[in-house]
Amino acid sequence: MVGGWAIAVHGGAGVDPALPVERQEEARRVLVRCLTAGAAALRAGALALDVVEMVVRELETDPVFNSGRGSALTRKGTVEMEASIMDGRGRRCGAVSGISTVKNPVSLARLVMERSPHSYLAFDGAEDFARKQGVEMVDNSYFITEENLGMLKLAKAANSIMFDYRVPLTGADTCRASAGLVADVGGEMQMMNGLPISIYAPETVGCVVVDSAGRCAAATSTGGLMNKMNGRIGDSPLIGSGTYACDACAVSCTGEGEAIIRSTLARDVAALMEYKGLGLQEAVDYAVKERLDEGKAGLIAVGRNGEVAMGFNTVGMFRGCATEEGLMEVAIW
Amino acid sequence: MVGGWAIAVHGGAGVDPALPVERQEEARRVLVRCLTAGAAALRAGALALDVVEMVVRELETDPVFNSGRGSALTRKGTVEMEASIMDGRGRRCGAVSGISTVKNPVSLARLVMERSPHSYLAFDGAEDFARKQGVEMVDNSYFITEENLGMLKLAKAANSIMFDYRVPLTGADSCRASAGLVADVGGELQMMNGLPISIYAPETVGCVVVDRAGRCAAATSTGGLMNKMNGRIGDSPLIGSGTYACDACAVSCTGEGEAIIRSTLARDVAALMEYKGLGLQEAVDYAVKERLDEGKAGLIAVGRNGEVAMGFNTVGMFRGCATEEGLMEVAIW
């Protein structure tokens, strides 16, 4: 369809094929709730930038996905979050990393964009800025869930076995003795970012919107990679990698951070449209197919004309979209 | 010329037109020394990645430019450095931010790429990694020069006058009472990143190389914006913004960080070649002209076929290049 608003959300790419049905249902419910809220706002004429912030706040606050509360844990068992936001109108942007006490990192990223002389603040400096801005601060323990404490233990065990995660393992080679570590799909161990897929916490939530006036915006937020080194920055706060928006489109990515960074995945979708003349879905398909090499990632995108496009080369991606025409769908596989 | 090695370096864009001649000469000497060392290595068959690291280490160690020793100071009077490096072969990359005790940030960025499971480490986490890697660590005071302490004072005074730096001021409006603050060029106060050009420390040093085998690599390093907020991250450590390398080319940028980030300037040069079929210099010119809007920046680039290209829309950029054919030149204006 040409024209009209559209919204897409994601809750991360790289999903355990053995994820229990009740967890899948829970994830779908959260995605539907976010889409419904976003669609209602858009119907009422809200701006794209406001909607992406609102929806990502919702995803951060809900513990189901890996952002805000429910974030994956660093190797020290703490939470370090990051986020970025971009307004296609004027390509303004803001980002934060190393956030440990700010309840909604995506909103802090927006404040960096709108109320600081810079584009990107991190760690202590970002937290100082947050305090001065009077944003809602909480203890780091607020973000930590029991489930993720358990996942961290499994991740440490998995990482210490030093998988070469680019080599597919047969059923016989896998450590079946470690119950729950193995998710076999046709005899190959599914891995993402160095972890077996049953432990891997799909990184990142995101939202992209085109509003009634054709303005595009994108926002991405994450706790990052389970068992990551403290101080590790992934693709989510990096403009052009995890997030991008311009006059033509808005993009939010998820998956293996290193692969998304080397591919400048979000910018490339827009560049393929701008410089190679591809349409939105063509550009998404090309980027996923040609830019990632052996990397695994997914992305959601909207175009100024109301189009929605998605692509991923992972086992699943939590996602959904809604359009002015009345479409609403969520999917995992 | 088609084929052969080539090297380009920069010491930052946005130069005070009133820079004393002896300072210009000093800058030229450093650039010549770096180019000579880089060229000698390339003649001996060194790899692009090794040469860009070596040259940027040289630029970090010399206090003349804004990286490593001689870095611009944060508002607290400390030094927080950042750097990134990228190998066009395979588009491998590494980056660091918030570095305060590591003598050569560009080498730490390379270690992140080669010896950590991640692409980008920052602040305490990066320093912990550095300690474990046994790199050379020094006190933060090592990086601070008398001159920059003086510049910081001027920058604080300038920032407190709250210039709207996008509005050109006439001679009558400028604060001539603050001697040394004003650099008039045709009645307009020259500003970069919110500071008058006489105080602004051109941000960033960089090096791009294509070696004998046609491999491209890029590296960028900086102390950042004078009087920046602690925790501020600029474009230099961001892959696709300040640094980029792929099979076709290598790019390093300098100037207003926010503008370079929104423009994904380094990636765009390569994308223009890849997706729009432009040649190297065409792509550089297009990126500088079309992507920056009112932002001010410059960049250097080399192509796989031995070409060198540069572009900037600022008042000057410290730069130089050398090629296998025997060309060697440095320039400021």
Side-chain angles (χ1 to χ4, degrees):
Chain A
M1 162 174 163
V2 177
W5 56 259
I7 173 172
V9 297
H10 73 74
V15 187
D16 182 2
L19 189 69
V21 167
E22 58 274 17
R23 297 289 308 282
Q24 297 186 40
E25 287 308 305
E26 182 184 36
R28 285 178 202 268
R29 276 196 302 273
V30 174
L31 293 171
V32 167
R33 192 177 79 232
C34 291
L35 283 170
T36 303
L42 285 162
R43 236 175 264 121
L47 298 178
L49 189 68
D50 293 331
V51 177
V52 297
E53 183 191 0
M54 178 193 80
V55 169
V56 171
R57 283 177 66 92
E58 187 65 38
L59 291 162
E60 286 170 341
T61 304
D62 196 296
V64 160
F65 295 115
N66 179 359
S67 71
R69 197 158 148 257
S71 278
L73 306 181
T74 68
R75 62 173 58 170
K76 290 186 185 173
T78 58
V79 164
E80 283 178 10
M81 298 166 290
E82 46 196 15
S84 60
I85 187 166
M86 192 162 185
D87 186 355
R89 176 73 39 101
R91 286 178 290 142
R92 301 180 306 142
C93 47
V96 292
S97 283
I99 302 306
S100 50
T101 62
V102 174
K103 197 161 179 242
N104 287 102
V106 70
S107 294
L108 187 62
R110 184 167 180 179
L111 287 175
V112 170
M113 175 172 81
E114 296 184 334
R115 296 215 205 136
S116 88
H118 305 319
S119 293
Y120 189 7
L121 290 178
F123 291 90
D124 292 350
E127 301 263 326
D128 286 348
F129 173 72
R131 257 187 297 280
K132 289 182 179 124
Q133 291 292 317
V135 305
E136 191 172 1
M137 319 273 291
V138 294
D139 193 79
N140 196 244
S141 58
Y142 162 87
F143 303 103
I144 300 174
T145 61
E146 280 302 315
E147 178 180 333
N148 279 329
L149 282 167
M151 283 307 209
L152 180 62
K153 288 192 181 121
L154 292 177
K156 284 183 180 298
N159 283 158
S160 71
I161 300 169
M162 292 191 301
F163 283 116
D164 173 358
Y165 65 96
R166 300 225 180 277
V167 176
L169 303 173
T170 64
D173 291 342
T174 56
C175 302
R176 287 184 183 284
S178 307
L181 267 182
V182 175
D184 253 340
V185 175
E188 279 186 28
M189 164 83 72
Q190 295 291 320
M191 305 288 291
M192 277 283 290
N193 236 338
L195 292 171
I197 198 104
S198 53
I199 297 168
Y200 178 74
E203 298 171 65
T204 318
V205 299
C207 180
V208 292
V209 163
V210 54
D211 61 28
S212 303
R215 283 172 302 231
C216 300
T220 311
S221 180
T222 187
L225 177 63
M226 186 68 76
N227 200 32
K228 67 183 180 180
M229 289 171 70
N230 290 74
R232 178 260 191 178
I233 292 178
D235 62 285
S236 303
L238 305 189
I239 297 301
S241 290
T243 300
Y244 192 74
C246 59
D247 283 330
C249 65
V251 185
S252 173
C253 305
T254 168
E256 295 183 326
E258 193 267 346
I260 295 168
I261 292 170
R262 350 183 349 271
S263 313
T264 53
L265 199 63
R267 170 54 185 149
D268 265 53
V269 170
L272 284 159
M273 294 178 74
E274 253 177 280
Y275 298 151
K276 210 171 167 69
L278 300 190
L280 187 74
Q281 187 68 60
E282 276 188 287
V284 167
D285 292 342
Y286 186 108
V288 169
K289 184 162 187 279
E290 305 293 339
R291 291 290 291 164
L292 291 169
D293 297 334
E294 60 297 329
K296 300 211 202 83
L299 66 98
I300 56 173
V302 290
R304 117 182 88 204
N305 61 0
E307 267 191 277
V308 176
M310 303 187 188
F312 54 98
N313 66 358
T314 52
V315 178
M317 177 170 79
F318 293 108
R319 63 198 185 281
C321 62
T323 65
E324 188 161 6
E325 291 173 294
L327 171 75
M328 176 165 318
E329 53 186 27
V330 297
I332 300 178
W333 314 110
Chain B
M1 161 174 167
V2 176
W5 56 259
I7 173 172
V9 297
H10 72 74
V15 186
D16 182 3
L19 189 69
V21 167
E22 59 272 18
R23 298 291 307 282
Q24 299 185 39
E25 287 308 307
E26 183 184 36
R28 286 177 202 268
R29 276 196 302 273
V30 174
L31 293 170
V32 167
R33 193 177 78 232
C34 291
L35 284 170
T36 303
L42 285 162
R43 237 175 264 122
L47 298 178
L49 189 67
D50 294 330
V51 177
V52 297
E53 183 191 0
M54 178 193 80
V55 169
V56 172
R57 283 176 66 92
E58 187 64 40
L59 291 162
E60 286 171 341
T61 303
D62 196 295
V64 159
F65 295 116
N66 178 0
S67 70
R69 196 159 149 256
S71 278
L73 306 181
T74 68
R75 62 173 59 168
K76 290 185 184 172
T78 58
V79 165
E80 283 177 10
M81 299 165 291
E82 46 196 14
S84 59
I85 188 166
M86 192 162 186
D87 186 356
R89 177 72 40 98
R91 286 178 292 142
R92 301 180 305 142
C93 47
V96 292
S97 282
I99 301 307
S100 49
T101 61
V102 173
K103 197 160 179 243
N104 286 101
V106 70
S107 293
L108 187 62
R110 184 167 181 178
L111 286 174
V112 170
M113 175 171 82
E114 295 182 336
R115 296 213 206 137
S116 89
H118 304 319
S119 292
Y120 189 7
L121 290 178
F123 290 90
D124 291 352
E127 301 263 326
D128 285 349
F129 173 73
R131 256 186 297 280
K132 290 184 178 124
Q133 292 292 318
V135 305
E136 191 172 1
M137 320 272 291
V138 294
D139 194 80
N140 196 243
S141 59
Y142 163 86
F143 304 103
I144 299 174
T145 61
E146 279 303 316
E147 180 180 332
N148 278 329
L149 282 167
M151 282 307 208
L152 179 62
K153 287 192 181 119
L154 293 177
K156 284 182 180 297
N159 283 158
S160 70
I161 300 167
M162 292 190 299
F163 285 115
D164 173 358
Y165 66 95
R166 300 228 178 274
V167 175
L169 303 174
T170 64
D173 290 344
S174 58
C175 302
R176 286 186 184 280
S178 308
L181 268 181
V182 175
D184 253 342
V185 175
E188 279 186 29
L189 185 73
Q190 295 292 318
M191 305 288 291
M192 278 282 291
N193 235 337
L195 292 171
I197 198 103
S198 53
I199 297 167
Y200 178 73
E203 299 170 64
T204 318
V205 299
C207 182
V208 291
V209 163
V210 54
D211 61 29
R212 275 243 176 84
R215 283 173 303 230
C216 299
T220 311
S221 180
T222 187
L225 178 62
M226 185 68 76
N227 199 31
K228 67 183 179 180
M229 289 171 70
N230 291 73
R232 178 259 191 177
I233 292 177
D235 62 285
S236 304
L238 305 189
I239 297 300
S241 290
T243 300
Y244 191 74
C246 59
D247 283 330
C249 66
V251 185
S252 173
C253 306
T254 168
E256 294 182 326
E258 192 268 345
I260 295 167
I261 292 170
R262 340 176 7 261
S263 314
T264 52
L265 200 63
R267 169 55 184 150
D268 266 53
V269 170
L272 284 160
M273 294 177 74
E274 254 176 282
Y275 298 153
K276 211 172 167 69
L278 301 191
L280 187 73
Q281 187 69 59
E282 276 189 288
V284 167
D285 293 340
Y286 186 108
V288 170
K289 184 163 188 279
E290 305 293 340
R291 291 288 291 163
L292 291 170
D293 297 333
E294 60 295 331
K296 299 210 203 84
L299 66 98
I300 56 174
V302 290
R304 117 181 87 205
N305 60 1
E307 265 191 279
V308 177
M310 304 186 186
F312 54 97
N313 67 359
T314 52
V315 178
M317 177 170 79
F318 293 108
R319 63 198 186 281
C321 63
T323 66
E324 188 159 8
E325 291 173 294
L327 171 75
M328 176 164 319
E329 54 185 27
V330 297
I332 299 178
W333 313 112

